[in-house]
Amino acid sequence: MKRIGMVLLGLALSTSALAFDTYRVGARLVRVGDGASRLMEVVGEPAHKEPLETRGGGYVGERWQYRLDGKTVTFTIRDGKIAAIDEVRD
């Protein structure tokens, strides 16, 4: 019985972070594969930019974070394009 409770608790906690292939901002969409310039056009300047590096310190991309509708939305940028979209509800 304890095990089932732990599994249910784990599932409930894991739903606070979501990953998407598209993200709607008003009437406009951005998608994985869109260019970083398209993201800037639709959403604007990010609140925070964080470089992504290999273990050896080589640059591989950036994470751009936005505060949108009470959520933190992170776009991972690689090779100038959106590689991933993640949302965390605060």
Side-chain angles (χ1 to χ4, degrees):
M1 190 66 175
K2 272 180 140 177
R3 189 174 195 177
I4 292 172
M6 292 299 287
V7 169
L8 291 174
L9 177 63
L11 288 172
L13 293 174
S14 69
T15 60
S16 62
L18 304 169
F20 300 98
D21 290 330
T22 62
Y23 195 83
R24 179 176 303 278
V25 180
R28 303 175 83 184
L29 286 175
V30 289
R31 296 177 175 87
V32 169
D34 284 352
S37 60
R38 167 82 177 148
L39 179 60
M40 292 277 290
E41 176 186 312
V42 172
V43 189
E45 192 70 34
H48 179 74
K49 286 184 181 181
E50 174 187 359
L52 297 175
E53 299 177 344
T54 64
R55 290 183 186 195
Y59 176 85
V60 294
E62 293 181 323
R63 279 194 193 99
W64 292 10
Q65 290 185 343
Y66 294 86
R67 292 280 306 143
L68 302 168
D69 300 324
K71 300 171 274 195
T72 300
V73 183
T74 303
F75 295 86
T76 303
I77 310 296
R78 292 182 190 242
D79 298 322
K81 296 184 180 201
I82 300 170
I85 304 169
D86 299 292
E87 174 186 284
V88 177
R89 296 179 187 271
D90 297 331

